[in-house]
PDB file of all heavy atoms in Angstrom:
ATOM      1  N   GLY A  51      88.593  90.255  97.353  1.00  0.00           N
ATOM      2  CA  GLY A  51      87.703  89.163  96.991  1.00  0.00           C
ATOM      3  C   GLY A  51      87.524  88.132  98.079  1.00  0.00           C
ATOM      4  O   GLY A  51      86.821  87.134  97.881  1.00  0.00           O
ATOM      5  N   ILE A  52      88.174  88.347  99.224  1.00  0.00           N
ATOM      6  CA  ILE A  52      87.996  87.467 100.386  1.00  0.00           C
ATOM      7  C   ILE A  52      87.806  88.359 101.610  1.00  0.00           C
ATOM      8  O   ILE A  52      88.184  89.537 101.592  1.00  0.00           O
ATOM      9  CB  ILE A  52      89.207  86.527 100.600  1.00  0.00           C
ATOM     10  CG1 ILE A  52      90.475  87.325 100.937  1.00  0.00           C
ATOM     11  CG2 ILE A  52      89.438  85.636  99.390  1.00  0.00           C
ATOM     12  CD1 ILE A  52      91.635  86.478 101.396  1.00  0.00           C
ATOM     13  N   PRO A  53      87.235  87.836 102.678  1.00  0.00           N
ATOM     14  CA  PRO A  53      87.053  88.649 103.884  1.00  0.00           C
ATOM     15  C   PRO A  53      88.394  89.082 104.479  1.00  0.00           C
ATOM     16  O   PRO A  53      89.373  88.337 104.442  1.00  0.00           O
ATOM     17  CB  PRO A  53      86.303  87.712 104.839  1.00  0.00           C
ATOM     18  CG  PRO A  53      85.683  86.674 103.962  1.00  0.00           C
ATOM     19  CD  PRO A  53      86.619  86.500 102.810  1.00  0.00           C
ATOM     20  N   VAL A  54      88.402  90.289 105.023  1.00  0.00           N
ATOM     21  CA  VAL A  54      89.585  90.775 105.733  1.00  0.00           C
ATOM     22  C   VAL A  54      89.416  90.426 107.209  1.00  0.00           C
ATOM     23  O   VAL A  54      88.451  90.878 107.843  1.00  0.00           O
ATOM     24  CB  VAL A  54      89.752  92.296 105.575  1.00  0.00           C
ATOM     25  CG1 VAL A  54      90.980  92.785 106.325  1.00  0.00           C
ATOM     26  CG2 VAL A  54      89.837  92.674 104.103  1.00  0.00           C
ATOM     27  N   PRO A  55      90.292  89.610 107.773  1.00  0.00           N
ATOM     28  CA  PRO A  55      90.148  89.234 109.181  1.00  0.00           C
ATOM     29  C   PRO A  55      90.176  90.463 110.090  1.00  0.00           C
ATOM     30  O   PRO A  55      90.888  91.440 109.812  1.00  0.00           O
ATOM     31  CB  PRO A  55      91.372  88.338 109.434  1.00  0.00           C
ATOM     32  CG  PRO A  55      91.760  87.840 108.082  1.00  0.00           C
ATOM     33  CD  PRO A  55      91.451  88.963 107.135  1.00  0.00           C
ATOM     34  N   PRO A  56      89.412  90.430 111.174  1.00  0.00           N
ATOM     35  CA  PRO A  56      89.395  91.575 112.100  1.00  0.00           C
ATOM     36  C   PRO A  56      90.774  91.957 112.607  1.00  0.00           C
ATOM     37  O   PRO A  56      91.070  93.143 112.789  1.00  0.00           O
ATOM     38  CB  PRO A  56      88.498  91.084 113.246  1.00  0.00           C
ATOM     39  CG  PRO A  56      87.633  90.034 112.636  1.00  0.00           C
ATOM     40  CD  PRO A  56      88.478  89.367 111.589  1.00  0.00           C
ATOM     41  N   GLU A  57      91.632  90.959 112.821  1.00  0.00           N
ATOM     42  CA  GLU A  57      92.966  91.279 113.340  1.00  0.00           C
ATOM     43  C   GLU A  57      93.804  92.036 112.322  1.00  0.00           C
ATOM     44  O   GLU A  57      94.668  92.841 112.689  1.00  0.00           O
ATOM     45  CB  GLU A  57      93.696  90.011 113.794  1.00  0.00           C
ATOM     46  CG  GLU A  57      93.814  88.913 112.750  1.00  0.00           C
ATOM     47  CD  GLU A  57      92.676  87.931 112.769  1.00  0.00           C
ATOM     48  OE1 GLU A  57      91.552  88.302 113.190  1.00  0.00           O
ATOM     49  OE2 GLU A  57      92.904  86.771 112.348  1.00  0.00           O
ATOM     50  N   ALA A  58      93.545  91.797 111.018  1.00  0.00           N
ATOM     51  CA  ALA A  58      94.246  92.564 109.989  1.00  0.00           C
ATOM     52  C   ALA A  58      93.703  93.990 109.925  1.00  0.00           C
ATOM     53  O   ALA A  58      94.469  94.956 109.828  1.00  0.00           O
ATOM     54  CB  ALA A  58      94.112  91.885 108.631  1.00  0.00           C
ATOM     55  N   THR A  59      92.377  94.126 109.994  1.00  0.00           N
ATOM     56  CA  THR A  59      91.763  95.466 110.008  1.00  0.00           C
ATOM     57  C   THR A  59      92.262  96.267 111.198  1.00  0.00           C
ATOM     58  O   THR A  59      92.485  97.483 111.103  1.00  0.00           O
ATOM     59  CB  THR A  59      90.237  95.341 110.052  1.00  0.00           C
ATOM     60  OG1 THR A  59      89.782  94.706 108.849  1.00  0.00           O
ATOM     61  CG2 THR A  59      89.582  96.710 110.161  1.00  0.00           C
ATOM     62  N   GLU A  60      92.474  95.589 112.318  1.00  0.00           N
ATOM     63  CA  GLU A  60      92.965  96.272 113.515  1.00  0.00           C
ATOM     64  C   GLU A  60      94.339  96.886 113.279  1.00  0.00           C
ATOM     65  O   GLU A  60      94.669  97.930 113.840  1.00  0.00           O
ATOM     66  CB  GLU A  60      93.030  95.271 114.680  1.00  0.00           C
ATOM     67  CG  GLU A  60      93.120  95.923 116.039  1.00  0.00           C
ATOM     68  CD  GLU A  60      92.944  94.919 117.159  1.00  0.00           C
ATOM     69  OE1 GLU A  60      92.009  94.104 117.074  1.00  0.00           O
ATOM     70  OE2 GLU A  60      93.766  94.943 118.089  1.00  0.00           O
ATOM     71  N   VAL A  61      95.131  96.258 112.402  1.00  0.00           N
ATOM     72  CA  VAL A  61      96.472  96.771 112.102  1.00  0.00           C
ATOM     73  C   VAL A  61      96.412  97.954 111.148  1.00  0.00           C
ATOM     74  O   VAL A  61      96.969  99.030 111.416  1.00  0.00           O
ATOM     75  CB  VAL A  61      97.363  95.647 111.521  1.00  0.00           C
ATOM     76  CG1 VAL A  61      98.692  96.227 111.020  1.00  0.00           C
ATOM     77  CG2 VAL A  61      97.606  94.561 112.556  1.00  0.00           C
ATOM     78  N   HIS A  62      95.752  97.770 109.991  1.00  0.00           N
ATOM     79  CA  HIS A  62      95.810  98.811 108.951  1.00  0.00           C
ATOM     80  C   HIS A  62      94.534  99.633 108.794  1.00  0.00           C
ATOM     81  O   HIS A  62      94.531 100.620 108.039  1.00  0.00           O
ATOM     82  CB  HIS A  62      96.204  98.217 107.603  1.00  0.00           C
ATOM     83  CG  HIS A  62      95.425  97.015 107.185  1.00  0.00           C
ATOM     84  ND1 HIS A  62      94.054  97.001 107.044  1.00  0.00           N
ATOM     85  CD2 HIS A  62      95.842  95.748 106.867  1.00  0.00           C
ATOM     86  CE1 HIS A  62      93.653  95.808 106.657  1.00  0.00           C
ATOM     87  NE2 HIS A  62      94.714  95.012 106.545  1.00  0.00           N
ATOM     88  N   GLY A  63      93.459  99.237 109.476  1.00  0.00           N
ATOM     89  CA  GLY A  63      92.249 100.041 109.461  1.00  0.00           C
ATOM     90  C   GLY A  63      91.360  99.871 108.252  1.00  0.00           C
ATOM     91  O   GLY A  63      90.345 100.565 108.123  1.00  0.00           O
TER      92      GLY A  63
END
Side-chain angles (χ1 to χ4, degrees):
I52 64 170
V54 180
E57 55 269 27
T59 296
E60 197 170 314
V61 172
H62 50 58

